[in-house]
Amino acid sequence: MPRARLVRLVLVAVTLGAAVPGCGETGGAIDRADLVNELASRLDASGQLTYSAEYQLPEGRTATIAQAQSPLRSAYMYPEGKLTVTDEATADCRRAGATTTCTLTEAPTPNNEPAVAAFRDAGAHGLIAPTVVISLLTTASLERGATIEQSGTTIAGRPATCVAVRGIRDAAASAFDACITIDGVLGSFSGVVDGSEVDIAMTRYRDQTDPDAFTLPAGAKIVDERSGT
């Protein structure tokens, strides 16, 4: 069965927004909002975890999302480069031929969403930040015309809740499939985000990170755009 259709491995499937015995349309809308908001909250809570998740991309490519605490730092590693977000800087490293160039910008402030701001072109790399998925789920909860199907599956040995969302207006993605593990980690995502196709599925999860996950690639050219440097 194609990997991109992980969410088709349905254990339990319901169309949330359809009429429920004893409930009117309003009840269905509340159920739908409850579901996607619960998944968004679960995914948001994973920001307190230390973990490393490896993902399968199309054409045999792979990517990794890593996160650690005290201080909070994250890394997104994809075939053409790497993005790290630490308390010192946001580093966007991209490989062109044999040369890797890392552009350093200001470290994020505590109240912003660094992964969303720094990884707007996630689809161009075939990877998507969990904070972007949180935004999509929140938008889906507010869209009365959306259809949302729920299912359950197991991804990389971990139970996960999945949703197939269709019919979202004025959003980065009008339709997408997403699975969130019981830990709150992004298990899989399939959809077109800001015009770029994203299709990932987690293949391995660890509750630790490699020591070099948040360091810049060896030999990379550094372009420091931080103020005062």
Side-chain angles (χ1 to χ4, degrees):
M1 181 175 293
R3 176 187 53 75
R5 296 276 69 81
L6 271 172
V7 294
R8 299 301 183 190
L9 302 178
V10 177
L11 301 181
V12 180
V14 293
T15 302
L16 300 173
V20 178
C23 298
E25 181 179 353
T26 301
I30 292 174
D31 291 344
R32 181 180 64 221
D34 285 348
L35 170 67
V36 290
N37 280 329
E38 191 279 329
L39 290 179
S41 296
R42 188 191 302 181
L43 191 56
D44 182 57
S46 71
Q48 302 176 24
L49 299 176
T50 291
Y51 73 91
S52 179
E54 299 174 13
Y55 294 89
Q56 183 72 43
L57 278 61
E59 301 176 355
R61 300 180 302 157
T62 60
T64 300
I65 296 177
Q67 180 178 274
Q69 309 292 322
S70 300
L72 176 63
R73 53 207 185 278
S74 56
Y76 304 82
M77 292 158 275
Y78 53 94
E80 298 82 17
K82 178 180 184 179
L83 174 77
T84 62
V85 181
T86 70
D87 59 352
E88 296 180 351
T90 296
D92 188 355
C93 302
R94 306 194 183 197
R95 186 171 60 251
T99 302
T100 298
T101 301
C102 294
T103 302
L104 308 185
T105 54
E106 298 293 342
T109 58
N111 295 324
N112 70 5
E113 296 287 354
V116 174
F119 216 52
R120 292 190 181 96
D121 56 347
H125 307 306
L127 191 58
I128 188 167
T131 42
V132 176
V133 181
I134 292 172
S135 178
L136 291 173
L137 289 169
T138 302
T139 300
S141 73
L142 301 173
E143 178 57 70
R144 292 181 59 86
T147 60
I148 303 173
E149 293 185 355
Q150 178 188 3
S151 64
T153 190
T154 300
I155 301 177
R158 312 188 83 77
T161 302
C162 306
V163 286
V165 180
R166 303 290 183 269
I168 305 178
R169 298 172 297 177
D170 302 323
S174 62
F176 63 90
D177 298 339
C179 295
I180 313 302
T181 72
I182 193 171
D183 315 276
V185 175
L186 180 63
S188 68
F189 184 92
S190 179
V192 178
V193 181
D194 289 328
S196 296
E197 183 175 357
V198 178
D199 188 5
I200 67 173
M202 186 170 66
T203 56
R204 186 186 183 199
Y205 174 85
R206 296 179 295 146
D207 57 1
Q208 58 185 343
T209 60
D210 295 328
D212 61 349
F214 312 103
T215 62
L216 302 183
K221 175 183 177 182
I222 307 300
V223 179
D224 197 339
E225 296 183 349
R226 294 172 294 178
S227 60
T229 59

